[in-house]
Amino acid sequence: MKKVNKICCIGAGYVGGPTMSVIASQCPEITVTVVDINQARIDQWNDTDLDNLPVYEPGLKEIVEKTRGKNLFFSTEVDKAIDEAEIIFISVNTPTKTYGKGKGQAADLKYVELCARNIARVAKTDKIVVEKSTLPVRTASAIKSILENTGNGVNFEILSNPEFLAEGTAIDDLLKADRVLIGGDDTPSGQEAKDTLSAIYEHWLPKERILQTNVWSSELSKLVANAFLAQRVSSINAISALCERTDANVAEVSRAIGTDSRIGAKFLNASVGFGGSCFQKDILNLVYISRSFGLTEVADYWEQVIIMNDYQKRRFAENIISTLYNTVSGKKIVFFGWAFKKDTNDTRESAAINVADALLEEKAEIVVYDPKVSEKQIYADLDYLDTRSPEENRELLTVVKDPMEAVQDAHAIAILTEWDEFKTYSWESIFEKMLKPAFVFDGRRLLSKEKMEEIGFQYYKIGQS
Ligand SMILES: NC(=O)c1ccc[n+]([C@@H]2O[C@H](COP(=O)([O-])OP(=O)(O)OC[C@H]3O[C@@H](n4cnc5c(N)ncnc54)[C@H](O)[C@@H]3O)[C@@H](O)[C@H]2O)c1
């Protein structure tokens, strides 16, 4: 097994930042450098005010405070960090392609390829290169081929080490990981590389939780894990629509099936739909791979998970419109939450974006309050859809910092993110401030139907008639 003194991670995002912070805190003898080409992002990671870190995660700033400047560094000097490290993690973004072959489904690997070429150009000593990004099956062989054909004759071992953390609980997930997956070649040097990486995680995790597999199993397992999780959400969301038409209550159905130990209780909360940067893109990736192997039924099966998710978001928006007497034009609708889930400032693929877009098409006036998402981000998300001009988006949608100011004279409130603070609000005072009848559309099943109706609200809770 190799002795590791220096680790480099390319990509200082939602995965690279928290993962490397935890490794640095658990392995004080190893110097960890996280590099990124985005200068603004690196500046935020180095900000003396820890509330300005680019990623919000409970517990993250405390770890960064303890390790930054000691054995954890954030920098834009990519080449230097590659040159010095024995292990290089690739943790760059792998978005869905927006052009060319595989557009709308396949993963765009240009950032990963650029990293591989950079490593090949710079490396003068043997390296272990770790795919931390989620990649389609067989990407490791592409990286290997680039490294072997363009490198300086040094030996590279490629490992797949997909990340299973969930945003919002990243630090806990990393510290108490159910398992760590390490895929690599079954050659003696491949085995040595797997053991070297394993030893890093063994600083804080029991050895039996570190699973070693071949590269392809590891790459595929990450896509499959996300597909299974998203499938549970879409399954319960499909049932939520049925519950609303009957006297069944989706919470009771969830509890009834979740207590079956074969099914389990997690990921059975009906909601306005899943979001986040991974579920949709990883399933699309699985769909694309299946289709490219001619496995039409397999591709269709997994694609349905996304179709159901789109349906749930559309259904929520359409319900708001039909309940508000079939017109929301000029009506003030307050969004509580914009992030794709609580305890993160990440908004990628958030259901709020599509719901807002549908309501803006009907000329609603939307006011957004989210405790962690910036105004700049909210407008960027809407502008990205390109449904209307940036000016129109700013005219119809405003962002506020005070939830109580937002609800003044509002026709309706839509709860899009399950932030805990929404539960603690004085809903009686909110009711006083709103126009009557005062509507609340709870896309996260956060509040009590009985209590809300007692206050006087017209209250709609996803999955309940
Ligand atoms: N976000 C999650 O919850 C999560 C969980 C598990 C796995 N993943 C996977 O991890 C990967 C990274 O996701 P993320 O959410 O951290 O993405 P992100 O967009 O937050 O961060 C990626 C970073 O990589 C940088 N980058 C891109 N190309 C670069 C290059 N050539 N050199 C240096 N830096 C470069 C970007 O500037 C960006 O800061 C993705 O493949 C994703 O699927 C994400």
Side-chain angles (χ1 to χ4, degrees):
M1 208 176 357
K2 264 200 186 144
K3 168 134 182 49
V4 178
N5 298 307
K6 288 192 174 171
I7 286 178
C8 152
C9 172
I10 310 180
Y14 281 87
V15 169
T19 316
M20 293 303 128
S21 301
V22 166
I23 290 182
S25 74
Q26 298 299 318
C27 310
E29 79 285 8
I30 299 176
T31 301
V32 180
T33 306
V34 190
V35 291
D36 204 293
I37 40 174
N38 183 338
Q39 180 74 54
R41 212 165 212 191
I42 290 299
D43 290 346
Q44 284 177 295
W45 280 111
N46 285 324
D47 201 308
T48 40
D49 181 354
L50 290 160
D51 286 322
N52 292 338
L53 296 182
V55 171
Y56 172 72
E57 277 292 339
L60 174 63
K61 72 175 181 184
E62 288 78 6
I63 292 186
V64 172
E65 185 173 24
K66 270 195 254 160
T67 48
R68 198 178 58 186
K70 293 196 180 79
N71 67 327
L72 176 67
F73 300 90
F74 295 93
S75 155
T76 48
E77 290 185 86
V78 181
D79 290 2
K80 179 166 178 275
I82 291 174
D83 179 35
E84 292 176 350
E86 292 100 12
I87 301 185
I88 301 162
F89 287 85
I90 300 180
S91 188
V92 299
N93 35 330
T94 49
T96 305
K97 272 186 92 171
T98 52
Y99 55 89
K101 189 162 178 269
K103 177 180 169 182
Q105 285 196 334
D108 193 341
L109 297 181
K110 71 174 172 217
Y111 305 104
V112 173
E113 186 176 333
L114 278 171
C115 287
R117 290 188 186 278
N118 209 353
I119 296 169
R121 185 173 50 78
V122 172
K124 294 190 279 299
T125 51
D126 292 356
K127 310 278 182 204
I128 297 174
V129 177
V130 184
E131 302 177 344
K132 186 52 107 179
S133 297
T134 305
L135 295 166
V137 189
R138 301 219 157 248
T139 306
S141 68
I143 295 182
K144 201 178 177 69
S145 139
I146 292 171
L147 290 173
E148 280 172 358
N149 290 297
T150 57
N152 305 317
V154 299
N155 183 47
F156 294 104
E157 279 304 324
I158 322 289
L159 300 178
S160 159
N161 173 220
E163 185 47 61
F164 291 99
L165 67 80
E167 287 176 30
T169 51
I171 300 301
D172 233 31
D173 293 346
L174 286 162
L175 289 173
K176 300 181 201 142
D178 289 341
R179 48 62 178 97
V180 166
L181 192 52
I182 301 177
D185 287 345
D186 282 332
T187 56
S189 59
Q191 190 55 52
E192 188 192 27
K194 284 191 267 192
D195 292 341
T196 303
L197 181 58
S198 180
I200 307 271
Y201 290 105
E202 284 167 38
H203 278 72
W204 74 95
L205 290 170
K207 203 173 175 151
E208 59 274 15
R209 283 203 216 155
I210 301 166
L211 312 180
Q212 296 194 1
T213 65
N214 75 34
V215 184
W216 322 125
S217 303
S218 171
E219 288 180 333
L220 184 60
S221 298
K222 173 63 194 176
L223 295 183
V224 173
N226 272 350
F228 269 62
L229 291 171
Q231 184 196 46
R232 284 174 72 93
V233 180
S234 275
S235 298
I236 200 69
N237 281 345
I239 299 305
S240 76
L242 192 54
C243 288
E244 288 170 31
R245 295 293 168 88
T246 61
D247 273 338
N249 173 341
V250 77
E252 293 177 352
V253 175
S254 288
R255 199 175 56 211
I257 63 165
T259 43
D260 184 328
S261 61
R262 293 166 303 177
I263 298 174
K266 291 182 180 161
F267 268 71
L268 284 182
N269 290 326
S271 71
V272 61
F274 60 74
S277 64
C278 295
F279 279 5
Q280 174 155 319
K281 107 176 143 58
D282 293 350
I283 296 175
L284 286 171
N285 218 326
L286 198 60
V287 169
Y288 182 72
I289 294 167
S290 305
R291 240 187 257 299
S292 63
F293 283 113
L295 303 171
T296 307
E297 288 80 359
V298 179
D300 289 350
Y301 178 77
W302 288 107
E303 194 165 24
Q304 192 59 36
V305 174
I306 292 173
I307 294 173
M308 182 54 62
N309 197 48
D310 290 340
Y311 163 76
Q312 188 77 344
K313 291 185 271 189
R314 201 170 57 241
R315 199 167 77 77
F316 186 73
E318 283 170 0
N319 181 44
I320 294 179
I321 298 165
S322 65
T323 308
L324 295 182
Y325 317 109
N326 285 319
T327 174
V328 289
S329 171
K331 289 184 180 163
K332 180 173 174 183
I333 300 176
V334 176
F335 274 32
F336 276 178
W338 190 267
F340 85 91
K341 65 168 169 177
K342 75 170 178 178
D343 291 339
T344 177
N345 60 343
D346 196 349
T347 65
R348 290 177 286 183
E349 305 291 346
S350 177
I353 304 170
N354 300 86
V355 175
D357 193 51
L359 296 176
L360 292 177
E361 277 304 273
E362 297 290 325
K363 301 276 181 244
E365 282 177 24
I366 297 180
V367 179
V368 182
Y369 166 74
D370 186 289
K372 290 287 174 198
V373 180
S374 69
E375 176 175 326
K376 191 171 154 222
Q377 185 60 50
I378 293 172
Y379 285 130
D381 291 336
L382 270 182
D383 293 346
Y384 183 77
L385 294 180
D386 212 13
T387 314
R388 62 196 74 72
S389 70
E391 293 72 34
E392 272 178 285
N393 282 333
R394 278 149 194 78
E395 207 175 288
L396 289 169
L397 184 144
T398 47
V399 181
V400 296
K401 290 203 157 53
D402 175 6
M404 292 304 145
E405 175 200 327
V407 299
Q408 187 68 48
D409 296 328
H411 289 80
I413 295 173
I415 301 177
L416 274 309
T417 311
E418 72 281 24
W419 287 104
D420 288 332
E421 67 172 64
F422 299 156
K423 287 191 272 192
T424 67
Y425 289 174
S426 163
W427 284 91
E428 289 82 359
S429 337
I430 292 175
F431 181 73
E432 291 306 316
K433 290 178 194 287
M434 289 175 67
L435 297 181
K436 310 295 172 319
F439 293 92
V440 171
F441 298 90
D442 190 346
R444 294 292 181 166
R445 302 187 48 83
L446 207 61
L447 306 172
S448 148
K449 189 170 164 66
E450 291 69 35
K451 189 159 171 252
M452 293 297 278
E453 286 177 349
E454 207 179 285
I455 296 172
F457 284 107
Q458 303 286 319
Y459 177 77
Y460 160 80
K461 191 172 191 172
I462 238 166
Q464 235 166 309
S465 63

PDB file of all heavy atoms in Angstrom, residues 183-199:
ATOM      1  N   GLY A 183     -14.185   0.951  -6.808  1.00  0.00           N
ATOM      2  CA  GLY A 183     -14.051   0.043  -7.955  1.00  0.00           C
ATOM      3  C   GLY A 183     -12.688   0.232  -8.595  1.00  0.00           C
ATOM      4  O   GLY A 183     -12.228   1.361  -8.736  1.00  0.00           O
ATOM      5  N   GLY A 184     -12.052  -0.877  -8.950  1.00  0.00           N
ATOM      6  CA  GLY A 184     -10.739  -0.778  -9.601  1.00  0.00           C
ATOM      7  C   GLY A 184     -10.378  -2.077 -10.289  1.00  0.00           C
ATOM      8  O   GLY A 184     -11.112  -3.068 -10.181  1.00  0.00           O
ATOM      9  N   ASP A 185      -9.245  -2.055 -10.985  1.00  0.00           N
ATOM     10  CA  ASP A 185      -8.800  -3.262 -11.695  1.00  0.00           C
ATOM     11  C   ASP A 185      -8.401  -4.357 -10.717  1.00  0.00           C
ATOM     12  O   ASP A 185      -7.955  -4.072  -9.604  1.00  0.00           O
ATOM     13  CB  ASP A 185      -7.583  -2.924 -12.575  1.00  0.00           C
ATOM     14  CG  ASP A 185      -7.993  -2.121 -13.785  1.00  0.00           C
ATOM     15  OD1 ASP A 185      -9.207  -2.077 -14.080  1.00  0.00           O
ATOM     16  OD2 ASP A 185      -7.111  -1.511 -14.422  1.00  0.00           O
ATOM     17  N   ASP A 186      -8.537  -5.601 -11.183  1.00  0.00           N
ATOM     18  CA  ASP A 186      -8.147  -6.717 -10.331  1.00  0.00           C
ATOM     19  C   ASP A 186      -6.674  -7.103 -10.494  1.00  0.00           C
ATOM     20  O   ASP A 186      -6.266  -8.169 -10.081  1.00  0.00           O
ATOM     21  CB  ASP A 186      -9.048  -7.935 -10.620  1.00  0.00           C
ATOM     22  CG  ASP A 186     -10.406  -7.755  -9.949  1.00  0.00           C
ATOM     23  OD1 ASP A 186     -10.452  -7.058  -8.909  1.00  0.00           O
ATOM     24  OD2 ASP A 186     -11.407  -8.272 -10.478  1.00  0.00           O
ATOM     25  N   THR A 187      -5.891  -6.236 -11.082  1.00  0.00           N
ATOM     26  CA  THR A 187      -4.449  -6.486 -11.220  1.00  0.00           C
ATOM     27  C   THR A 187      -3.769  -6.182  -9.881  1.00  0.00           C
ATOM     28  O   THR A 187      -4.364  -5.501  -9.024  1.00  0.00           O
ATOM     29  CB  THR A 187      -3.866  -5.531 -12.276  1.00  0.00           C
ATOM     30  OG1 THR A 187      -4.196  -4.189 -11.857  1.00  0.00           O
ATOM     31  CG2 THR A 187      -4.473  -5.761 -13.645  1.00  0.00           C
ATOM     32  N   PRO A 188      -2.513  -6.637  -9.680  1.00  0.00           N
ATOM     33  CA  PRO A 188      -1.825  -6.318  -8.409  1.00  0.00           C
ATOM     34  C   PRO A 188      -1.751  -4.803  -8.166  1.00  0.00           C
ATOM     35  O   PRO A 188      -1.991  -4.345  -7.041  1.00  0.00           O
ATOM     36  CB  PRO A 188      -0.428  -6.924  -8.600  1.00  0.00           C
ATOM     37  CG  PRO A 188      -0.622  -8.015  -9.611  1.00  0.00           C
ATOM     38  CD  PRO A 188      -1.741  -7.570 -10.519  1.00  0.00           C
ATOM     39  N   SER A 189      -1.470  -4.025  -9.218  1.00  0.00           N
ATOM     40  CA  SER A 189      -1.358  -2.568  -8.985  1.00  0.00           C
ATOM     41  C   SER A 189      -2.747  -1.959  -8.744  1.00  0.00           C
ATOM     42  O   SER A 189      -2.882  -1.011  -7.968  1.00  0.00           O
ATOM     43  CB  SER A 189      -0.663  -1.875 -10.152  1.00  0.00           C
ATOM     44  OG  SER A 189      -1.380  -2.095 -11.346  1.00  0.00           O
ATOM     45  N   GLY A 190      -3.787  -2.538  -9.389  1.00  0.00           N
ATOM     46  CA  GLY A 190      -5.157  -2.075  -9.146  1.00  0.00           C
ATOM     47  C   GLY A 190      -5.557  -2.357  -7.705  1.00  0.00           C
ATOM     48  O   GLY A 190      -6.154  -1.522  -7.029  1.00  0.00           O
ATOM     49  N   GLN A 191      -5.200  -3.552  -7.228  1.00  0.00           N
ATOM     50  CA  GLN A 191      -5.522  -3.922  -5.853  1.00  0.00           C
ATOM     51  C   GLN A 191      -4.806  -3.000  -4.863  1.00  0.00           C
ATOM     52  O   GLN A 191      -5.392  -2.544  -3.874  1.00  0.00           O
ATOM     53  CB  GLN A 191      -5.126  -5.390  -5.611  1.00  0.00           C
ATOM     54  CG  GLN A 191      -5.634  -5.962  -4.293  1.00  0.00           C
ATOM     55  CD  GLN A 191      -7.149  -5.825  -4.135  1.00  0.00           C
ATOM     56  OE1 GLN A 191      -7.916  -6.220  -5.005  1.00  0.00           O
ATOM     57  NE2 GLN A 191      -7.582  -5.221  -3.017  1.00  0.00           N
ATOM     58  N   GLU A 192      -3.553  -2.692  -5.172  1.00  0.00           N
ATOM     59  CA  GLU A 192      -2.786  -1.805  -4.280  1.00  0.00           C
ATOM     60  C   GLU A 192      -3.454  -0.422  -4.209  1.00  0.00           C
ATOM     61  O   GLU A 192      -3.590   0.176  -3.145  1.00  0.00           O
ATOM     62  CB  GLU A 192      -1.344  -1.664  -4.783  1.00  0.00           C
ATOM     63  CG  GLU A 192      -0.472  -0.920  -3.779  1.00  0.00           C
ATOM     64  CD  GLU A 192       0.880  -0.488  -4.323  1.00  0.00           C
ATOM     65  OE1 GLU A 192       1.015  -0.273  -5.552  1.00  0.00           O
ATOM     66  OE2 GLU A 192       1.795  -0.338  -3.496  1.00  0.00           O
ATOM     67  N   ALA A 193      -3.915   0.060  -5.381  1.00  0.00           N
ATOM     68  CA  ALA A 193      -4.575   1.382  -5.407  1.00  0.00           C
ATOM     69  C   ALA A 193      -5.864   1.353  -4.587  1.00  0.00           C
ATOM     70  O   ALA A 193      -6.151   2.275  -3.818  1.00  0.00           O
ATOM     71  CB  ALA A 193      -4.867   1.780  -6.853  1.00  0.00           C
ATOM     72  N   LYS A 194      -6.648   0.271  -4.737  1.00  0.00           N
ATOM     73  CA  LYS A 194      -7.901   0.164  -3.975  1.00  0.00           C
ATOM     74  C   LYS A 194      -7.604   0.158  -2.474  1.00  0.00           C
ATOM     75  O   LYS A 194      -8.285   0.826  -1.698  1.00  0.00           O
ATOM     76  CB  LYS A 194      -8.657  -1.125  -4.368  1.00  0.00           C
ATOM     77  CG  LYS A 194      -9.358  -1.030  -5.719  1.00  0.00           C
ATOM     78  CD  LYS A 194     -10.306  -2.194  -5.954  1.00  0.00           C
ATOM     79  CE  LYS A 194      -9.638  -3.331  -6.698  1.00  0.00           C
ATOM     80  NZ  LYS A 194     -10.567  -4.352  -7.205  1.00  0.00           N
ATOM     81  N   ASP A 195      -6.558  -0.568  -2.086  1.00  0.00           N
ATOM     82  CA  ASP A 195      -6.217  -0.630  -0.654  1.00  0.00           C
ATOM     83  C   ASP A 195      -5.718   0.727  -0.148  1.00  0.00           C
ATOM     84  O   ASP A 195      -5.986   1.111   0.988  1.00  0.00           O
ATOM     85  CB  ASP A 195      -5.155  -1.711  -0.407  1.00  0.00           C
ATOM     86  CG  ASP A 195      -5.729  -3.114  -0.642  1.00  0.00           C
ATOM     87  OD1 ASP A 195      -6.980  -3.259  -0.627  1.00  0.00           O
ATOM     88  OD2 ASP A 195      -4.934  -4.057  -0.856  1.00  0.00           O
ATOM     89  N   THR A 196      -5.018   1.448  -0.995  1.00  0.00           N
ATOM     90  CA  THR A 196      -4.499   2.766  -0.595  1.00  0.00           C
ATOM     91  C   THR A 196      -5.662   3.722  -0.330  1.00  0.00           C
ATOM     92  O   THR A 196      -5.684   4.437   0.678  1.00  0.00           O
ATOM     93  CB  THR A 196      -3.580   3.348  -1.701  1.00  0.00           C
ATOM     94  OG1 THR A 196      -2.529   2.421  -1.947  1.00  0.00           O
ATOM     95  CG2 THR A 196      -3.005   4.693  -1.307  1.00  0.00           C
ATOM     96  N   LEU A 197      -6.641   3.706  -1.235  1.00  0.00           N
ATOM     97  CA  LEU A 197      -7.793   4.598  -1.036  1.00  0.00           C
ATOM     98  C   LEU A 197      -8.628   4.133   0.160  1.00  0.00           C
ATOM     99  O   LEU A 197      -9.110   4.947   0.957  1.00  0.00           O
ATOM    100  CB  LEU A 197      -8.652   4.636  -2.311  1.00  0.00           C
ATOM    101  CG  LEU A 197      -9.875   5.556  -2.259  1.00  0.00           C
ATOM    102  CD1 LEU A 197      -9.475   7.003  -1.951  1.00  0.00           C
ATOM    103  CD2 LEU A 197     -10.638   5.516  -3.589  1.00  0.00           C
ATOM    104  N   SER A 198      -8.755   2.824   0.278  1.00  0.00           N
ATOM    105  CA  SER A 198      -9.508   2.267   1.391  1.00  0.00           C
ATOM    106  C   SER A 198      -8.924   2.738   2.735  1.00  0.00           C
ATOM    107  O   SER A 198      -9.657   3.093   3.660  1.00  0.00           O
ATOM    108  CB  SER A 198      -9.478   0.732   1.286  1.00  0.00           C
ATOM    109  OG  SER A 198     -10.185   0.164   2.320  1.00  0.00           O
ATOM    110  N   ALA A 199      -7.595   2.774   2.800  1.00  0.00           N
ATOM    111  CA  ALA A 199      -6.929   3.163   4.052  1.00  0.00           C
ATOM    112  C   ALA A 199      -7.307   4.587   4.473  1.00  0.00           C
ATOM    113  O   ALA A 199      -7.345   4.898   5.669  1.00  0.00           O
ATOM    114  CB  ALA A 199      -5.420   3.042   3.897  1.00  0.00           C
TER     115      ALA A 199
END
